């Protein structure tokens, strides 16, 4: 089991206004702490043209955290594959892998906001083809860099497995969906007849360790607020099988409640029990969604400490990270 | 468009710190005369990220001396200074000459100037001095931003940004178009303030320095509502209208930026 944290988005939002340089400074300090506590990975996220400065260049941001640390893996979850030149991106990935061997991992997302495609003159309908081109270019130009894809659709996840790519699942997905997707990924990999190490399944989870009732209420409120942001971005999870659709654009209140209901918040014992449930559905890497907008950095650091020291030693199959 | 705070005269330090904590991009020192440099220094030392724009009144001193003030404040702030050059009482030609000496003194080249108002170095009789001087320290910034205002502004280098107070004077073609405007900064007047900042952004301003009757009341509204509104076209209403959760329990989020962000 690998443990990571994310997603660093480097925003300065309307609910927590701050100078745009502050999240960048905090990000580097966070990366150093993750490394010191023994976490495996830090995950970044990318969007373009959003009012809060949401990080538009995950590769540049990753390069910063890699330079600031010595062992930590820095992964993008996801870089938007349509928005960059494939050859230039492959060359950058190769350079990061040369400077920081084995420490950079590239997530390639399709993107979903029309304005992000339109802003750089890329037809949205080309996004799948462009991602295939990007995958070919990075595999050829930076063969040492693991590739992650993200989807909530079993057939797409199975294809990722069949191609040997890892998958990262949203923290808003209920565990039933995570289990179905992890199974699809494993079956895709096994049916491909590929050899070597099975690509990994990573799942974001809204996690917070606290014994304080007021803090528990606060973090739930801020988890909810974080999905208001995604409603603003226009993000949606399509309906699949027994898992209902989660359309932040249309049914904001219910979608927010559903997303927040997946959170694992409580004492160290409660969180360990919740994480064991997640591990049991076939997840190889837990990515703790602890970058909570309203939480002071000190509170985030406290949770990272407590997860590493009090929780992860008690998660099944977990290596002690602290 | 980015928002900043015009600092109340006499209360620069606290207001600048509050502006930085609210996410402002810049602060504007409004104190003039002998108060301008001390006010700018007070704003600088209580912040570590915001740009600090302060008035440099041409004619109030030798332009080389004014440049030294700018350079020292730029070093004090690790490169966050904007010089708001006011033409003061000077006529067009006088202002142009003083500005050219000021700008020359801010570059890392030795300065030599021979004009109707100034001769640099003066080459006075009895002095043993080279024919050029190096004005030091050099600013931290590669090029200190200079914004122009004042009665003789129109006579000066048109390439330099103009700090305007009248929306009709906004030039959307300029790469940098700073402006200063008074807003109510109260919850009751939020809609009017929102309309005002949108109007400045639509006109083509790039940086709006806002005067609030009470910054303590106005800054939270600026950070929560006004700055996001003009940070992207069609700012999503679901964010504009959402009720943010109450502040995190315990101590305030932070009163000064994190240590890592300090110069």
């Amino acid at each position: 089991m690998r443990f990571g944290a994310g997603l660093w988005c480097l925003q300065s939002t309307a609910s927590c206004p701050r100078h745009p340089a502050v999240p960048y400074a905090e990000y580097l300090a966070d990366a150093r702490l993750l490394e010191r506590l023994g976490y495996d990975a830090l995950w970044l996220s990318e969007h373009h043209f959003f009012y809060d400065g949401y990080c538009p260049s995950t590769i540049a941001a990753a390069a910063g955290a890699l330079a600031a640390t010595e062992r930590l893996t820095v992964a993008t979850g996801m870089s938007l594959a349509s928005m960059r030149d494939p050859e230039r991106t492959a060359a950058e990935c190769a350079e990061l892998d040369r400077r920081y061997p084995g420490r950079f991992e590239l997530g390639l997302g399709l993107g979903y906001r029309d304005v992000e495609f339109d802003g750089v003159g890329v037809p949205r309908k080309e996004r799948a083809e462009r991602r295939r081109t990007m995958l070919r270019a990075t595999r050829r130009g930076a063969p040492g860099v693991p590739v992650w894809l993200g989807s909530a659709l079993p057939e797409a996840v199975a294809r990722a497995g069949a191609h040997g790519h890892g998958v990262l699942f949203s923290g808003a997905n209920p565990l039933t969906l995570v289990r179905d997707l992890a199974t699809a990924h494993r079956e895709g990999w096994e049916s491909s007849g590929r050899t070597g190490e099975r690509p990994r399944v990573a799942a974001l989870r809204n996690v917070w360790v606290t014994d304080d009732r007021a803090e528990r209420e606060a973090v739930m409120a801020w988890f909810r607020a974080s999905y208001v942001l995604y409603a603003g971005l226009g993000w949606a999870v399509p309906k699949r099988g027994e898992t209902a659709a989660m359309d932040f654009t249309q049914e904001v209140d219910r979608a927010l409640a559903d997303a927040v209901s997946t959170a694992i918040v409580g004492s160290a014992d409660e969180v360990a029990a919740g994480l064991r449930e997640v591990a049991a559905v076939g997840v190889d890497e837990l990515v703790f969604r602890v970058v909570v907008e309203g939480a002071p950095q000190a509170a985030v650091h406290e949770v990272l400490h407590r997860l590493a020291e009090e929780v992860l030693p008690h998660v099944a199959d977990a290596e002690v990270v602290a | 468009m980015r928002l900043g705070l015009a600092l109340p005269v006499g209360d620069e330090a606290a207001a600048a710190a509050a502006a930085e904590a609210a996410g402002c991009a810049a602060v504007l020192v409004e104190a003039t005369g002998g108060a301008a440099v001390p006010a700018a220094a007070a704003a600088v030392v209580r912040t570590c990220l915001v740009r600090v724009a302060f008035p440099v009144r041409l004619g109030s001193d030798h332009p080389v001396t004014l440049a030294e003030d700018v350079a020292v404040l730029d070093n004090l702030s690790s490169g966050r200074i904007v010089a708001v050059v006011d033409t003061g009482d000077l006529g067009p030609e006088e202002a142009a000459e003083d500005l050219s000496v000021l700008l020359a003194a801010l570059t890392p080249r030795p300065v030599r100037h021979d004009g109707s108002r100034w001769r640099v170095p003066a080459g006075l009789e009895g002095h043993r001095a080279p024919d050029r001087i190096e004005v030091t320290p050099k600013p931290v910034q590669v090029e200190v931003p200079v914004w122009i205002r004042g009665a003789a502004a129109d006579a000066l280098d048109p390439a330099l940004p103009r700090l305007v107070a009248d929306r009709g004077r906004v030039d959307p073609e300029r790469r940098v178009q700073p402006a200063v405007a008074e807003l109510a900064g109260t919850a009751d007047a939020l809609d009017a303030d929102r309309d005002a900042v949108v109007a400045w952004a639509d006109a083509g301003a790039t940086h709006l320095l806002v005067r609030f009757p009470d910054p303590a009341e106005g800054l939270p509204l600026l950070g929560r509502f006004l700055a996001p509104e003009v940070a992207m076209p069609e700012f999503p209403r679901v964010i504009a209208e959402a009720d943010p959760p109450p502040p995190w329990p315990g101590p305030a989020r932070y009163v000064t930026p994190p240590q890592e962000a300090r110069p």
Side-chain angles (χ1 to χ4, degrees), chain B residues 196-240:
Chain B
V197 296
V198 167
W200 279 101
D202 287 349
T206 58
H207 297 77
L208 182 66
L209 290 315
V210 174
R211 264 184 220 118
F212 286 127
D214 178 6
E217 188 177 8
L219 280 171
L221 299 168
L222 181 151
R224 169 69 184 89
F225 297 106
L226 303 180
E229 198 68 46
V230 290
M232 71 182 282
E234 297 178 33
F235 176 58
R237 298 335 291 168
V238 65
I239 294 177

Side-chain angles (χ1 to χ4, degrees), chain B:
Chain B
M1 184 175 78
R2 301 192 70 185
L3 295 183
L5 182 72
L7 299 175
V9 174
D11 192 26
E12 286 84 2
E20 178 158 292
C24 282
V27 294
L28 173 68
V29 172
E30 300 233 83
T32 55
V37 167
V44 159
V45 301
R46 288 289 301 276
T47 55
C48 63
L49 297 168
V50 292
R51 305 291 120 169
V52 177
F54 84 107
V56 177
R57 186 180 170 91
L58 298 180
S60 67
D61 208 329
H62 195 298
V64 164
T65 308
L66 296 177
E68 289 170 332
D69 288 350
V70 172
V72 165
L73 286 170
D74 201 51
N75 280 272
L76 191 67
S77 65
S78 295
R80 296 187 284 122
I81 287 295
V82 175
V84 178
V85 171
D86 195 311
T87 59
D89 297 328
L90 299 187
E93 286 174 15
E94 297 169 315
E97 181 178 347
D98 282 35
L99 178 62
S100 82
V101 176
L102 174 77
L103 294 179
L106 288 172
T107 75
R109 293 194 187 101
V111 179
R112 182 177 182 177
H113 173 86
D114 195 355
S116 58
R117 282 169 58 76
W118 310 102
R119 189 166 177 224
V120 183
L124 299 181
E125 198 171 330
H127 293 177
R128 279 182 33 135
D131 63 353
R132 298 173 301 167
I133 57 165
E134 188 81 45
V135 181
T136 61
K138 294 306 170 191
V140 171
Q141 299 180 83
V142 172
E143 187 172 359
V144 175
V146 171
W147 299 347
I148 303 291
R149 71 177 176 198
D154 289 346
L156 303 184
D157 180 354
L160 294 171
R162 267 48 183 176
L163 176 62
V164 303
D166 171 359
R167 203 157 64 230
R169 299 203 61 195
V170 167
D171 181 353
E173 299 300 316
R174 287 188 178 279
R175 222 156 38 82
V176 178
Q177 176 57 77
V180 58
E182 174 136 1
L183 298 181
T186 62
D188 288 347
L190 180 59
D191 286 344
D193 283 355
R194 194 160 16 205
D195 291 348
V197 296
V198 167
W200 279 101
D202 287 349
T206 58
H207 297 77
L208 182 66
L209 290 315
V210 174
R211 264 184 220 118
F212 286 127
D214 178 6
E217 188 177 8
L219 280 171
L221 299 168
L222 181 151
R224 169 69 184 89
F225 297 106
L226 303 180
E229 198 68 46
V230 290
M232 71 182 282
E234 297 178 33
F235 176 58
R237 298 335 291 168
V238 65
I239 294 177
E241 290 156 15
D243 287 327
W248 198 261
R253 181 180 167 74
Y254 61 83
V255 282
T256 54
Q259 198 61 37
E260 288 78 11
R262 290 182 183 283

Side-chain angles (χ1 to χ4, degrees), chain A residues 251-277:
Chain A
E251 302 172 67
V252 174
D253 287 337
R254 193 177 60 76
L256 293 174
D258 287 352
V260 170
S261 71
T262 69
I264 302 170
V265 175
S267 68
D269 287 346
E270 289 171 311
V271 171
L275 293 181
R276 282 194 293 271
E277 282 181 40

Side-chain angles (χ1 to χ4, degrees), chain A residues 14-93:
Chain A
S15 347
C16 288
R18 51 187 183 167
H19 191 283
V22 171
Y24 284 82
E26 290 191 354
Y27 161 63
L28 295 181
D30 295 342
R32 293 185 179 110
L33 180 72
L34 285 174
E35 174 160 286
R36 203 157 65 239
L37 293 175
Y39 287 89
D40 299 293
L42 177 157
W43 290 77
L44 287 154
S45 174
E46 174 173 324
H47 273 296
H48 299 259
F49 318 132
F50 204 56
Y51 85 98
D52 62 11
Y54 205 116
C55 181
S57 176
T58 38
I59 289 181
L66 287 164
T69 54
E70 291 170 3
R71 294 178 305 280
L72 188 70
T73 290
V74 181
T76 67
M78 303 284 161
S79 303
L80 300 184
S82 295
M83 315 288 170
R84 294 174 80 85
D85 179 79
E87 297 305 325
R88 180 169 86 96
T89 304
E92 288 171 336
C93 292

Side-chain angles (χ1 to χ4, degrees), chain A residues 142-292:
Chain A
V145 173
V147 168
W148 294 85
L149 304 179
S151 176
L153 303 176
E155 54 272 28
V157 168
R159 273 199 306 277
H163 284 104
H165 304 311
V167 284
L168 171 70
F169 300 139
S170 159
N173 290 344
L175 270 194
T176 51
L177 179 59
V178 175
R179 186 187 57 229
D180 293 349
L181 295 172
T183 303
H185 184 259
R186 191 180 294 259
E187 288 173 356
W189 163 255
E190 286 167 357
S191 67
S192 72
R194 287 176 186 266
T195 55
E197 199 177 331
R198 178 177 60 81
R200 291 192 304 273
V201 171
L204 284 154
R205 291 281 103 186
N206 292 302
V207 170
W208 199 264
V209 187
T210 180
D211 302 308
D212 179 73
R213 188 192 162 125
E215 185 163 328
R216 183 189 292 239
E217 284 169 12
V219 76
M220 293 302 285
W222 283 104
F223 279 145
R224 183 184 187 283
S226 77
Y227 290 102
V228 172
L229 174 93
Y230 285 105
L233 283 162
W235 187 65
V237 177
K239 176 173 165 41
R240 276 286 144 179
E242 59 186 80
T243 302
M246 189 176 285
D247 188 346
F248 292 117
T249 60
Q250 297 298 321
E251 302 172 67
V252 174
D253 287 337
R254 193 177 60 76
L256 293 174
D258 287 352
V260 170
S261 71
T262 69
I264 302 170
V265 175
S267 68
D269 287 346
E270 289 171 311
V271 171
L275 293 181
R276 282 194 293 271
E277 282 181 40
V278 183
V281 302
V283 171
D284 307 306
E285 173 163 351
L286 283 165
V287 184
F288 305 119
R289 199 165 171 272
V290 293
V291 193
V292 175

